[in-house]
PDB file of all heavy atoms in Angstrom:
ATOM      1  N   SER A   1       6.174 -16.144 -10.697  1.00 49.00           N
ATOM      2  CA  SER A   1       5.176 -15.742 -11.656  1.00 49.00           C
ATOM      3  C   SER A   1       5.298 -14.235 -11.843  1.00 49.00           C
ATOM      4  O   SER A   1       6.130 -13.590 -11.238  1.00 49.00           O
ATOM      5  CB  SER A   1       3.751 -16.113 -11.154  1.00 49.00           C
ATOM      6  OG  SER A   1       3.386 -15.291 -10.043  1.00 49.00           O
ATOM      7  N   HIS A   2       4.444 -13.684 -12.649  1.00 49.00           N
ATOM      8  CA  HIS A   2       4.576 -12.257 -12.946  1.00 49.00           C
ATOM      9  C   HIS A   2       4.077 -11.447 -11.741  1.00 49.00           C
ATOM     10  O   HIS A   2       3.400 -11.928 -10.870  1.00 49.00           O
ATOM     11  CB  HIS A   2       3.739 -11.911 -14.190  1.00 49.00           C
ATOM     12  CG  HIS A   2       2.269 -11.970 -13.990  1.00 49.00           C
ATOM     13  ND1 HIS A   2       1.562 -13.140 -13.878  1.00 49.00           N
ATOM     14  CD2 HIS A   2       1.367 -10.979 -13.854  1.00 49.00           C
ATOM     15  CE1 HIS A   2       0.281 -12.877 -13.703  1.00 49.00           C
ATOM     16  NE2 HIS A   2       0.115 -11.578 -13.694  1.00 49.00           N
ATOM     17  N   SER A   3       4.487 -10.181 -11.726  1.00 49.00           N
ATOM     18  CA  SER A   3       4.013  -9.275 -10.683  1.00 49.00           C
ATOM     19  C   SER A   3       2.879  -8.401 -11.262  1.00 49.00           C
ATOM     20  O   SER A   3       2.718  -8.293 -12.471  1.00 49.00           O
ATOM     21  CB  SER A   3       5.181  -8.389 -10.210  1.00 49.00           C
ATOM     22  OG  SER A   3       5.681  -7.648 -11.267  1.00 49.00           O
ATOM     23  N   GLU A   4       2.087  -7.825 -10.397  1.00 55.00           N
ATOM     24  CA  GLU A   4       0.958  -6.993 -10.783  1.00 55.00           C
ATOM     25  C   GLU A   4       1.108  -5.610 -10.214  1.00 55.00           C
ATOM     26  O   GLU A   4       1.611  -5.443  -9.121  1.00 55.00           O
ATOM     27  CB  GLU A   4      -0.374  -7.589 -10.286  1.00 55.00           C
ATOM     28  CG  GLU A   4      -0.695  -8.921 -10.882  1.00 55.00           C
ATOM     29  CD  GLU A   4      -0.086 -10.099 -10.125  1.00 55.00           C
ATOM     30  OE1 GLU A   4       0.312  -9.907  -8.963  1.00 55.00           O
ATOM     31  OE2 GLU A   4       0.031 -11.192 -10.696  1.00 55.00           O
ATOM     32  N   ALA A   5       0.667  -4.599 -10.979  1.00 56.00           N
ATOM     33  CA  ALA A   5       0.682  -3.217 -10.511  1.00 56.00           C
ATOM     34  C   ALA A   5      -0.755  -2.804 -10.224  1.00 56.00           C
ATOM     35  O   ALA A   5      -1.673  -3.143 -10.947  1.00 56.00           O
ATOM     36  CB  ALA A   5       1.292  -2.322 -11.581  1.00 56.00           C
ATOM     37  N   TYR A   6      -0.945  -2.045  -9.150  1.00 63.00           N
ATOM     38  CA  TYR A   6      -2.286  -1.613  -8.723  1.00 63.00           C
ATOM     39  C   TYR A   6      -2.258  -0.170  -8.320  1.00 63.00           C
ATOM     40  O   TYR A   6      -1.283   0.347  -7.787  1.00 63.00           O
ATOM     41  CB  TYR A   6      -2.779  -2.451  -7.561  1.00 63.00           C
ATOM     42  CG  TYR A   6      -2.897  -3.894  -7.869  1.00 63.00           C
ATOM     43  CD1 TYR A   6      -1.925  -4.802  -7.456  1.00 63.00           C
ATOM     44  CD2 TYR A   6      -3.961  -4.372  -8.635  1.00 63.00           C
ATOM     45  CE1 TYR A   6      -2.027  -6.128  -7.761  1.00 63.00           C
ATOM     46  CE2 TYR A   6      -4.066  -5.707  -8.939  1.00 63.00           C
ATOM     47  CZ  TYR A   6      -3.100  -6.582  -8.505  1.00 63.00           C
ATOM     48  OH  TYR A   6      -3.197  -7.904  -8.822  1.00 63.00           O
ATOM     49  N   MET A   7      -3.409   0.458  -8.486  1.00 66.00           N
ATOM     50  CA  MET A   7      -3.657   1.781  -7.919  1.00 66.00           C
ATOM     51  C   MET A   7      -4.717   1.618  -6.847  1.00 66.00           C
ATOM     52  O   MET A   7      -5.580   0.740  -6.935  1.00 66.00           O
ATOM     53  CB  MET A   7      -4.152   2.753  -9.003  1.00 66.00           C
ATOM     54  CG  MET A   7      -3.157   2.975 -10.126  1.00 66.00           C
ATOM     55  SD  MET A   7      -1.623   3.740  -9.593  1.00 66.00           S
ATOM     56  CE  MET A   7      -2.165   5.412  -9.315  1.00 66.00           C
ATOM     57  N   SER A   8      -4.650   2.475  -5.839  1.00 72.00           N
ATOM     58  CA  SER A   8      -5.594   2.384  -4.735  1.00 72.00           C
ATOM     59  C   SER A   8      -6.332   3.720  -4.586  1.00 72.00           C
ATOM     60  O   SER A   8      -5.794   4.756  -4.873  1.00 72.00           O
ATOM     61  CB  SER A   8      -4.836   2.112  -3.421  1.00 72.00           C
ATOM     62  OG  SER A   8      -4.169   0.903  -3.459  1.00 72.00           O
ATOM     63  N   TYR A   9      -7.533   3.629  -4.057  1.00 77.00           N
ATOM     64  CA  TYR A   9      -8.253   4.807  -3.601  1.00 77.00           C
ATOM     65  C   TYR A   9      -7.974   4.930  -2.124  1.00 77.00           C
ATOM     66  O   TYR A   9      -8.067   3.960  -1.373  1.00 77.00           O
ATOM     67  CB  TYR A   9      -9.757   4.702  -3.837  1.00 77.00           C
ATOM     68  CG  TYR A   9     -10.497   5.825  -3.149  1.00 77.00           C
ATOM     69  CD1 TYR A   9     -10.525   7.108  -3.726  1.00 77.00           C
ATOM     70  CD2 TYR A   9     -11.093   5.630  -1.905  1.00 77.00           C
ATOM     71  CE1 TYR A   9     -11.141   8.135  -3.074  1.00 77.00           C
ATOM     72  CE2 TYR A   9     -11.705   6.691  -1.248  1.00 77.00           C
ATOM     73  CZ  TYR A   9     -11.739   7.928  -1.844  1.00 77.00           C
ATOM     74  OH  TYR A   9     -12.340   8.988  -1.181  1.00 77.00           O
ATOM     75  N   SER A  10      -7.576   6.131  -1.686  1.00 81.00           N
ATOM     76  CA  SER A  10      -7.168   6.292  -0.290  1.00 81.00           C
ATOM     77  C   SER A  10      -7.740   7.571   0.307  1.00 81.00           C
ATOM     78  O   SER A  10      -7.921   8.556  -0.377  1.00 81.00           O
ATOM     79  CB  SER A  10      -5.633   6.375  -0.204  1.00 81.00           C
ATOM     80  OG  SER A  10      -5.033   5.308  -0.857  1.00 81.00           O
ATOM     81  N   GLN A  11      -7.931   7.531   1.618  1.00 85.00           N
ATOM     82  CA  GLN A  11      -8.263   8.714   2.398  1.00 85.00           C
ATOM     83  C   GLN A  11      -7.431   8.659   3.661  1.00 85.00           C
ATOM     84  O   GLN A  11      -7.393   7.645   4.347  1.00 85.00           O
ATOM     85  CB  GLN A  11      -9.754   8.772   2.724  1.00 85.00           C
ATOM     86  CG  GLN A  11     -10.078  10.041   3.458  1.00 85.00           C
ATOM     87  CD  GLN A  11     -11.570  10.284   3.537  1.00 85.00           C
ATOM     88  OE1 GLN A  11     -12.367   9.572   2.929  1.00 85.00           O
ATOM     89  NE2 GLN A  11     -11.943  11.297   4.262  1.00 85.00           N
ATOM     90  N   SER A  12      -6.762   9.765   3.973  1.00 88.00           N
ATOM     91  CA  SER A  12      -5.834   9.820   5.093  1.00 88.00           C
ATOM     92  C   SER A  12      -6.257  10.811   6.173  1.00 88.00           C
ATOM     93  O   SER A  12      -7.002  11.740   5.893  1.00 88.00           O
ATOM     94  CB  SER A  12      -4.425  10.216   4.625  1.00 88.00           C
ATOM     95  OG  SER A  12      -3.981   9.328   3.621  1.00 88.00           O
ATOM     96  N   ARG A  13      -5.730  10.606   7.377  1.00 91.00           N
ATOM     97  CA  ARG A  13      -5.917  11.524   8.461  1.00 91.00           C
ATOM     98  C   ARG A  13      -4.665  11.477   9.342  1.00 91.00           C
ATOM     99  O   ARG A  13      -3.985  10.462   9.401  1.00 91.00           O
ATOM    100  CB  ARG A  13      -7.175  11.214   9.254  1.00 91.00           C
ATOM    101  CG  ARG A  13      -7.223   9.808   9.804  1.00 91.00           C
ATOM    102  CD  ARG A  13      -8.666   9.400  10.136  1.00 91.00           C
ATOM    103  NE  ARG A  13      -8.762   8.028  10.565  1.00 91.00           N
ATOM    104  CZ  ARG A  13      -8.788   6.986   9.739  1.00 91.00           C
ATOM    105  NH1 ARG A  13      -8.703   7.159   8.451  1.00 91.00           N
ATOM    106  NH2 ARG A  13      -8.898   5.760  10.220  1.00 91.00           N
ATOM    107  N   GLY A  14      -4.369  12.565   9.983  1.00 92.00           N
ATOM    108  CA  GLY A  14      -3.170  12.636  10.814  1.00 92.00           C
ATOM    109  C   GLY A  14      -2.420  13.935  10.550  1.00 92.00           C
ATOM    110  O   GLY A  14      -3.018  14.911  10.077  1.00 92.00           O
ATOM    111  N   ALA A  15      -1.156  13.952  10.812  1.00 92.00           N
ATOM    112  CA  ALA A  15      -0.279  15.089  10.489  1.00 92.00           C
ATOM    113  C   ALA A  15       0.913  14.497   9.778  1.00 92.00           C
ATOM    114  O   ALA A  15       1.855  13.965  10.385  1.00 92.00           O
ATOM    115  CB  ALA A  15       0.154  15.781  11.771  1.00 92.00           C
ATOM    116  N   PHE A  16       0.883  14.560   8.437  1.00 91.00           N
ATOM    117  CA  PHE A  16       1.880  13.891   7.638  1.00 91.00           C
ATOM    118  C   PHE A  16       2.006  14.589   6.309  1.00 91.00           C
ATOM    119  O   PHE A  16       1.007  15.048   5.741  1.00 91.00           O
ATOM    120  CB  PHE A  16       1.498  12.440   7.406  1.00 91.00           C
ATOM    121  CG  PHE A  16       2.575  11.621   6.714  1.00 91.00           C
ATOM    122  CD1 PHE A  16       3.563  10.976   7.460  1.00 91.00           C
ATOM    123  CD2 PHE A  16       2.595  11.514   5.329  1.00 91.00           C
ATOM    124  CE1 PHE A  16       4.517  10.221   6.819  1.00 91.00           C
ATOM    125  CE2 PHE A  16       3.574  10.789   4.690  1.00 91.00           C
ATOM    126  CZ  PHE A  16       4.536  10.118   5.444  1.00 91.00           C
ATOM    127  N   GLY A  17       3.223  14.654   5.790  1.00 89.00           N
ATOM    128  CA  GLY A  17       3.454  15.132   4.426  1.00 89.00           C
ATOM    129  C   GLY A  17       4.671  14.457   3.887  1.00 89.00           C
ATOM    130  O   GLY A  17       5.667  14.227   4.627  1.00 89.00           O
ATOM    131  N   GLY A  18       4.643  14.107   2.623  1.00 89.00           N
ATOM    132  CA  GLY A  18       5.836  13.520   2.048  1.00 89.00           C
ATOM    133  C   GLY A  18       5.625  12.741   0.794  1.00 89.00           C
ATOM    134  O   GLY A  18       4.501  12.450   0.375  1.00 89.00           O
ATOM    135  N   VAL A  19       6.759  12.387   0.204  1.00 90.00           N
ATOM    136  CA  VAL A  19       6.810  11.522  -0.929  1.00 90.00           C
ATOM    137  C   VAL A  19       7.744  10.367  -0.542  1.00 90.00           C
ATOM    138  O   VAL A  19       8.880  10.632  -0.134  1.00 90.00           O
ATOM    139  CB  VAL A  19       7.352  12.250  -2.190  1.00 90.00           C
ATOM    140  CG1 VAL A  19       7.469  11.294  -3.384  1.00 90.00           C
ATOM    141  CG2 VAL A  19       6.459  13.438  -2.535  1.00 90.00           C
ATOM    142  N   THR A  20       7.270   9.146  -0.660  1.00 90.00           N
ATOM    143  CA  THR A  20       8.047   8.006  -0.119  1.00 90.00           C
ATOM    144  C   THR A  20       8.114   6.837  -1.095  1.00 90.00           C
ATOM    145  O   THR A  20       7.322   6.735  -2.013  1.00 90.00           O
ATOM    146  CB  THR A  20       7.421   7.467   1.171  1.00 90.00           C
ATOM    147  OG1 THR A  20       6.077   7.040   0.908  1.00 90.00           O
ATOM    148  CG2 THR A  20       7.403   8.544   2.252  1.00 90.00           C
ATOM    149  N   VAL A  21       9.087   5.992  -0.849  1.00 91.00           N
ATOM    150  CA  VAL A  21       9.186   4.685  -1.483  1.00 91.00           C
ATOM    151  C   VAL A  21       8.952   3.672  -0.345  1.00 91.00           C
ATOM    152  O   VAL A  21       9.486   3.854   0.764  1.00 91.00           O
ATOM    153  CB  VAL A  21      10.585   4.477  -2.097  1.00 91.00           C
ATOM    154  CG1 VAL A  21      10.720   3.066  -2.635  1.00 91.00           C
ATOM    155  CG2 VAL A  21      10.819   5.508  -3.191  1.00 91.00           C
ATOM    156  N   GLU A  22       8.151   2.658  -0.620  1.00 90.00           N
ATOM    157  CA  GLU A  22       7.767   1.750   0.487  1.00 90.00           C
ATOM    158  C   GLU A  22       7.919   0.295   0.093  1.00 90.00           C
ATOM    159  O   GLU A  22       7.849  -0.061  -1.088  1.00 90.00           O
ATOM    160  CB  GLU A  22       6.317   2.023   0.892  1.00 90.00           C
ATOM    161  CG  GLU A  22       6.124   3.466   1.267  1.00 90.00           C
ATOM    162  CD  GLU A  22       4.764   3.765   1.827  1.00 90.00           C
ATOM    163  OE1 GLU A  22       3.889   2.888   1.815  1.00 90.00           O
ATOM    164  OE2 GLU A  22       4.602   4.891   2.308  1.00 90.00           O
ATOM    165  N   ALA A  23       8.158  -0.529   1.056  1.00 90.00           N
ATOM    166  CA  ALA A  23       8.217  -1.998   0.877  1.00 90.00           C
ATOM    167  C   ALA A  23       7.535  -2.636   2.091  1.00 90.00           C
ATOM    168  O   ALA A  23       7.726  -2.192   3.219  1.00 90.00           O
ATOM    169  CB  ALA A  23       9.653  -2.492   0.776  1.00 90.00           C
ATOM    170  N   ALA A  24       6.718  -3.645   1.825  1.00 90.00           N
ATOM    171  CA  ALA A  24       5.998  -4.293   2.915  1.00 90.00           C
ATOM    172  C   ALA A  24       5.760  -5.754   2.587  1.00 90.00           C
ATOM    173  O   ALA A  24       5.562  -6.130   1.446  1.00 90.00           O
ATOM    174  CB  ALA A  24       4.680  -3.581   3.179  1.00 90.00           C
ATOM    175  N   TYR A  25       5.760  -6.571   3.627  1.00 89.00           N
ATOM    176  CA  TYR A  25       5.430  -7.975   3.547  1.00 89.00           C
ATOM    177  C   TYR A  25       3.940  -8.073   3.813  1.00 89.00           C
ATOM    178  O   TYR A  25       3.440  -7.543   4.816  1.00 89.00           O
ATOM    179  CB  TYR A  25       6.235  -8.735   4.618  1.00 89.00           C
ATOM    180  CG  TYR A  25       5.911 -10.192   4.712  1.00 89.00           C
ATOM    181  CD1 TYR A  25       6.313 -11.084   3.726  1.00 89.00           C
ATOM    182  CD2 TYR A  25       5.198 -10.667   5.809  1.00 89.00           C
ATOM    183  CE1 TYR A  25       5.991 -12.428   3.811  1.00 89.00           C
ATOM    184  CE2 TYR A  25       4.898 -12.017   5.912  1.00 89.00           C
ATOM    185  CZ  TYR A  25       5.293 -12.897   4.923  1.00 89.00           C
ATOM    186  OH  TYR A  25       4.983 -14.228   5.015  1.00 89.00           O
ATOM    187  N   VAL A  26       3.197  -8.743   2.939  1.00 86.00           N
ATOM    188  CA  VAL A  26       1.771  -8.870   3.044  1.00 86.00           C
ATOM    189  C   VAL A  26       1.398 -10.327   3.214  1.00 86.00           C
ATOM    190  O   VAL A  26       1.912 -11.188   2.466  1.00 86.00           O
ATOM    191  CB  VAL A  26       1.039  -8.307   1.800  1.00 86.00           C
ATOM    192  CG1 VAL A  26      -0.449  -8.357   1.940  1.00 86.00           C
ATOM    193  CG2 VAL A  26       1.529  -6.897   1.480  1.00 86.00           C
ATOM    194  N   LYS A  27       0.525 -10.653   4.167  1.00 89.00           N
ATOM    195  CA  LYS A  27       0.162 -12.055   4.376  1.00 89.00           C
ATOM    196  C   LYS A  27      -1.249 -12.188   4.939  1.00 89.00           C
ATOM    197  O   LYS A  27      -1.816 -11.247   5.505  1.00 89.00           O
ATOM    198  CB  LYS A  27       1.164 -12.743   5.285  1.00 89.00           C
ATOM    199  CG  LYS A  27       1.100 -12.317   6.774  1.00 89.00           C
ATOM    200  CD  LYS A  27       2.067 -13.051   7.640  1.00 89.00           C
ATOM    201  CE  LYS A  27       1.652 -14.286   8.174  1.00 89.00           C
ATOM    202  NZ  LYS A  27       0.960 -15.134   8.721  1.00 89.00           N
ATOM    203  N   VAL A  28      -1.787 -13.391   4.785  1.00 91.00           N
ATOM    204  CA  VAL A  28      -3.089 -13.731   5.378  1.00 91.00           C
ATOM    205  C   VAL A  28      -2.869 -13.875   6.877  1.00 91.00           C
ATOM    206  O   VAL A  28      -1.884 -14.457   7.333  1.00 91.00           O
ATOM    207  CB  VAL A  28      -3.627 -15.055   4.773  1.00 91.00           C
ATOM    208  CG1 VAL A  28      -4.831 -15.557   5.535  1.00 91.00           C
ATOM    209  CG2 VAL A  28      -3.934 -14.877   3.297  1.00 91.00           C
ATOM    210  N   ARG A  29      -3.801 -13.350   7.662  1.00 93.00           N
ATOM    211  CA  ARG A  29      -3.726 -13.426   9.124  1.00 93.00           C
ATOM    212  C   ARG A  29      -4.546 -14.629   9.614  1.00 93.00           C
ATOM    213  O   ARG A  29      -5.700 -14.494   9.980  1.00 93.00           O
ATOM    214  CB  ARG A  29      -4.200 -12.124   9.746  1.00 93.00           C
ATOM    215  CG  ARG A  29      -3.293 -10.953   9.351  1.00 93.00           C
ATOM    216  CD  ARG A  29      -3.652  -9.685  10.082  1.00 93.00           C
ATOM    217  NE  ARG A  29      -3.454  -9.890  11.510  1.00 93.00           N
ATOM    218  CZ  ARG A  29      -3.926  -9.057  12.440  1.00 93.00           C
ATOM    219  NH1 ARG A  29      -4.613  -7.978  12.084  1.00 93.00           N
ATOM    220  NH2 ARG A  29      -3.724  -9.292  13.709  1.00 93.00           N
TER     221      ARG A  29
END
């Protein structure tokens, strides 16, 4: 079927900086 694009609202904490490309497997637990 078709894919969907989404934007997220996020808030982060830690020590991190960068621009990345990501891939992840998502599933019901």
Side-chain angles (χ1 to χ4, degrees):
S1 70
H2 72 286
S3 59
E4 296 86 18
Y6 298 102
M7 297 297 286
S8 299
Y9 170 78
S10 308
Q11 183 167 355
S12 303
R13 57 200 175 279
F16 187 89
V19 177
T20 60
V21 175
E22 304 187 353
Y25 176 73
V26 184
K27 71 178 274 313
V28 170
R29 297 187 62 194

